[in-house]
Amino acid sequence: MEIAEDAILVVVELAPDGEPAASAAGLLGAADAVGTPVALVVAPAERHGALAAAVAALGAETVLLAAPTGDPALLTVPTVDALAAAYALVQPDAVLVSNSVEGRDAAGRFTARAGLAIAVDAVGVSRDELGIVAHHSVYGGAYTVDSAVTFGAPVITLRQGAVEHRAQPRPVTSRVLDVESSGAPAAVVESFEATSGATSRPDLRGAARVVAGGRGLGSEEGFALVGRLADALGAAVGASRAAVDAGYVPAAHQVGQTGVSVSPQLYVALGISGAVQHRVGMQTAKTIVAINKDAAAPIFEIADFGVVGDVFTVVPQLIAALEARRP
Ligand code: FAD
């Protein structure tokens, strides 16, 4: 099996249901735009066939498959062991990893182990004559900066939802990697408790559409309006920290500096003033719609479309209009 000279090694994370995580399509798309995507999947051997097909369908030219090394309760180290083996085989021009909690953990450990350099929370990548360049949106989206490394291949964590390009499906070419356990110290999962209930709404991270609510919703009951608009749009629910602190919605929905960063196609902000700590988590959204009764609210400075009005008057009309258009 030949590995392309311009290979970009992509670490594909798995969702809790065992399928490739939503971030995989964007990572493979980004890799495809600057080279030849080679994917690494760490999963039990009995899942290898199905996962190789699923990842090739997302555009991987080659899928490297590794069974987790060591104790199955070990966190991160099995992925880093597999990544080290894949890196040695592929000699890629860059390594792309999701900027998720797990992805950052694995990317950081691998970078330190391999003596490489890391660029975190990129919103895009490109190639110049010297190699792969990562693009970052910083200071609340006020600046775009580029980073590149002066030695080795860069390890880049990519913000979920930030890359629109998708790779064409490719025929399945896979190879099972022989991975030795490094025996490196690792945290171990002793027990866990599921904290979120089942929901039919998309996951906030990586969602194509997000409807977020702030203190302007006034109460937990008032915040239900955010969920109603989200359902009408097929969107995920986000929130400002003020809404979380007031107990309108669980902390997992918080968008911003101390919450989740999102880059959806559409971000609708309801009763959110637009503090810089909120903007930093959503300013790279492609289209921003704001509804706020204060025409001077800073959110309007970055909104593509704005409605000055009371959310409890405007949003029910919006939902009715969306429902009327539904076939
Ligand atoms: P407010 O600023 O109180 O704004 C409410 C808005 O609702 C106002 O603009 C008002 O005009 C409007 N409104 C009120 N009633 C209505 C109505 N009926 N119809 C329409 N509009 C209405 N914030 C985050 O969001 N995420 C973070 O991760 C985050 N991290 C932080 C980290 C640090 C270190 C610090 C210091 C702060 C952080 N914050 C964060 C808090 C941030 O500074 C703001 O306080 C917060 O974002 C404000 O939330 P808000 O816009 O919902 O509330």
Side-chain angles (χ1 to χ4, degrees):
M1 184 191 63
E2 289 270 309
I3 300 275
E5 283 222 338
D6 63 348
I8 307 292
L9 183 57
V10 170
V11 180
V12 172
E13 270 176 25
L14 300 182
D17 64 1
E19 296 300 321
S23 58
L27 287 168
L28 289 160
D32 183 66
V34 295
T36 303
V38 176
L40 170 66
V41 182
V42 183
E46 62 272 18
R47 297 277 299 129
H48 282 180
L51 283 167
V55 174
L58 295 174
E61 195 203 46
T62 306
V63 184
L64 303 175
L65 300 154
T69 52
D71 181 340
L74 290 182
L75 279 174
T76 314
V77 167
T79 304
V80 179
D81 289 348
L83 182 49
Y87 184 85
L89 176 75
V90 175
Q91 300 287 314
D93 288 348
V95 179
L96 297 186
V97 186
S98 172
N99 193 54
S100 63
V101 173
E102 298 79 7
R104 290 195 303 256
D105 195 9
R109 283 189 82 132
F110 169 69
T111 305
R113 195 193 286 185
L116 295 170
I118 190 167
V120 298
D121 196 23
V123 294
V125 289
S126 62
R127 184 189 277 275
D128 68 12
E129 63 280 8
L130 296 177
I132 303 299
V133 179
H135 309 295
H136 309 258
S137 171
V138 300
Y139 294 125
Y143 296 92
T144 303
V145 296
D146 294 347
S147 63
V149 301
T150 52
F151 62 93
V155 179
I156 300 168
T157 71
L158 199 63
R159 189 182 294 183
Q160 293 177 60
V163 173
E164 274 175 67
H165 178 71
R166 293 292 178 264
Q168 291 295 320
R170 287 183 160 100
V172 186
T173 308
S174 64
R175 169 167 172 173
V176 176
L177 273 184
D178 201 10
V179 182
E180 289 232 346
S181 171
S182 62
V188 175
V189 180
E190 291 185 343
S191 67
F192 70 94
E193 211 175 297
T195 53
S196 59
T199 169
S200 56
R201 289 187 189 131
D203 189 20
L204 182 57
R205 289 170 199 273
R209 298 169 186 178
V210 174
V211 179
R215 204 197 313 263
L217 274 301
S219 65
E220 193 179 344
E221 296 71 39
F223 200 90
L225 190 63
V226 178
R228 283 178 51 211
L229 180 58
D231 290 342
L233 287 167
V237 169
S240 71
R241 177 155 143 186
V244 169
D245 288 349
Y248 304 167
V249 61
H253 295 276
Q254 184 176 317
V255 172
Q257 184 181 323
T258 41
V260 173
S261 288
V262 295
S263 271
Q265 297 299 312
L266 173 69
Y267 190 91
V268 185
L270 306 177
I272 291 177
S273 61
V276 66
Q277 296 90 352
H278 186 79
R279 286 156 57 154
V280 76
M282 45 67 74
Q283 196 153 2
T284 52
K286 300 291 173 304
T287 302
I288 297 170
V289 178
I291 303 174
N292 194 306
K293 65 182 183 186
D294 175 8
I299 191 79
F300 287 125
E301 292 166 16
I302 57 160
D304 299 284
F305 300 97
V307 180
V308 179
D310 189 312
V311 286
F312 297 105
T313 311
V314 178
V315 177
Q317 294 179 51
L318 188 53
I319 294 170
L322 286 165
E323 282 172 357
R325 285 177 50 178
R326 199 167 283 163

